[in-house]
């Protein structure tokens, strides 16, 4: 996963996200949003006006990138003369967008559950060794690590020789944003609740755990299984 990191030395974030989006583009063919068979919208936030910006036309990959620019980690992206950042800053669970697109009923997935770090949990030797091995590749990530301290702090959060473990820089940033997004989503959903809410258990996942995709997908399956009876009733209405 470290090969997907493209350091930014002048932008407003550690990474530009270009390599990551190229990887996404290999799995998801880009197309115009307006050409899709189903309505689609992505939520971003205008960095300077502080307002939500709904992307409902143009490149779908651009929309995905613009709406996922986590502040501090990914650089903002310029789109339609606006510098856009992650829409989760203002609307983490965008029920309002779904209603605006004409949805009669909304099934929402809330990923913004605060992480509860278990200090007694020890990472497996395999995970630590795999992460350390990834740092030994000579592809420029070592320079990135020295420059930003990103990888060093991430590795320190994996090590088991601290009790309690000292949180790394990325963990602090991610957890702080997640706490804020959780409070915002609770407030917004209290005024505009979805008809059905799915809550995957993701408290064991770190922001940089991209290599654990299979586990995250399984967590999604389990979350749906827990509300299977509600979902059956919902779909029969």
């Amino acid at each position: 996963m470290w090969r997907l990191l493209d350091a930014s030395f002048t932008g407003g974030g550690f990474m530009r996200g270009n390599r990551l989006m190229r990887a996404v583009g290999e799995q998801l063919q880009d197309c115009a949003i307006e050409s899709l068979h189903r309505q689609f919208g992505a939520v971003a936030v205008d960095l300077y006006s502080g307002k939500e910006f709904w992307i409902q036309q143009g490149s779908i990959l651009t929309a995905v990138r613009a709406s996922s620019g986590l502040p501090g980690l990914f650089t903002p992206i310029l789109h339609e003369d606006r510098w856009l950042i992650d829409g989760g800053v203002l609307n983490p669970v965008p029920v309002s967008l779904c209603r605006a697109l004409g949805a009669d009923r909304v099934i929402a997935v809330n990923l913004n559950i605060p992480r509860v770090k278990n200090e007694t949990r020890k990472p497996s030797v395999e995970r630590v060794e795999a992460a350390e091995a990834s740092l030994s590749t000579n592809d420029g990530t070592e320079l990135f690590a020295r420059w930003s301290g990103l990888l060093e702090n991430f590795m320190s959060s994996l090590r088991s020789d601290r009790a309690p473990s000292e949180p790394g820089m990325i963990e602090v940033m991610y957890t702080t944003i997640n706490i804020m997004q959780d409070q915002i989503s609770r407030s917004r959903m209290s005024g505009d609740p979805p008809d059905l809410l799915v809550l995957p258990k993701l408290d064991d996942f770190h922001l940089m755990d991209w290599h654990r995709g299979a586990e995250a997908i399984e967590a999604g399956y389990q979350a749906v299984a827990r509300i299977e009876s509600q979902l059956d009733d919902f779909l029969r209405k």
Side-chain angles (χ1 to χ4, degrees):
M1 66 179 184
W2 302 117
R3 291 186 177 88
L4 298 179
L5 308 185
D6 46 357
S8 170
F9 294 92
T10 58
F14 286 118
M15 293 176 282
R16 296 193 179 280
N18 295 331
R19 292 183 186 175
L20 179 59
M21 291 312 301
R22 281 198 295 268
V24 172
E26 293 174 0
Q27 306 297 323
L28 176 67
Q29 183 176 359
D30 195 15
C31 63
I33 294 174
E34 51 269 35
S35 70
L36 298 175
H37 296 299
R38 296 181 183 275
Q39 287 186 283
F40 174 82
V43 181
V45 172
D46 187 318
L47 179 63
Y48 292 107
S49 72
K51 297 180 179 179
E52 282 185 49
F53 182 72
W54 294 354
I55 306 175
Q56 301 178 65
Q57 60 184 7
S59 163
I60 191 170
L61 287 182
T62 297
V64 171
R65 171 63 180 86
S67 66
S68 59
L70 190 68
L73 185 62
F74 291 105
T75 58
I77 185 172
L78 184 63
H79 179 69
E80 295 186 9
D81 296 325
R82 295 177 173 87
W83 286 105
L84 300 179
I85 58 175
D86 194 333
V89 170
L90 288 180
N91 200 353
V93 186
V95 177
S96 55
L97 173 57
C98 295
R99 304 282 190 204
L101 290 175
D104 296 319
R105 294 178 292 172
V106 176
I107 300 175
V109 183
N110 185 8
L111 306 178
N112 302 293
I113 303 171
R115 297 178 64 237
V116 180
K117 185 172 181 180
N118 182 358
E119 296 293 355
T120 63
R121 180 179 63 85
K122 303 299 183 181
S124 68
V125 174
E126 291 80 6
R127 282 185 63 192
V128 175
E129 289 180 346
E132 289 178 337
S134 70
L135 297 183
S136 65
T137 57
N138 187 23
D139 62 356
T141 55
E142 291 176 314
L143 176 60
F144 179 38
R146 294 191 208 95
W147 169 72
S148 68
L150 170 63
L151 305 187
E152 180 181 353
N153 279 274
F154 175 58
M155 287 305 305
S156 70
S157 70
L158 289 179
R159 295 190 180 280
S160 58
D161 56 358
R162 299 183 182 186
S165 61
E166 180 182 350
M169 176 180 59
I170 294 299
E171 182 176 3
V172 171
M173 181 181 70
Y174 169 61
T175 303
T176 301
I177 292 175
N178 211 26
I179 291 171
M180 292 189 295
Q181 288 184 338
D182 175 62
Q183 294 301 313
I184 293 170
S185 61
R186 287 173 185 268
S187 176
R188 296 200 61 147
M189 285 193 293
S190 66
D192 188 11
D195 299 284
L196 193 61
L197 184 63
V198 183
L199 295 169
K201 294 183 178 180
L202 302 173
D203 55 297
D204 186 47
F205 284 83
H206 190 279
L207 174 65
M208 304 297 286
D209 280 350
W210 301 342
H211 59 292
R212 301 177 63 195
E215 296 176 61
I217 292 170
E218 179 59 28
Y221 277 117
Q222 293 176 4
V224 174
R226 287 193 294 272
I227 62 166
E228 185 174 3
S229 60
Q230 300 177 55
L231 185 58
D232 289 340
D233 294 338
F234 179 81
L235 296 176
R236 281 197 293 265
K237 291 180 181 180

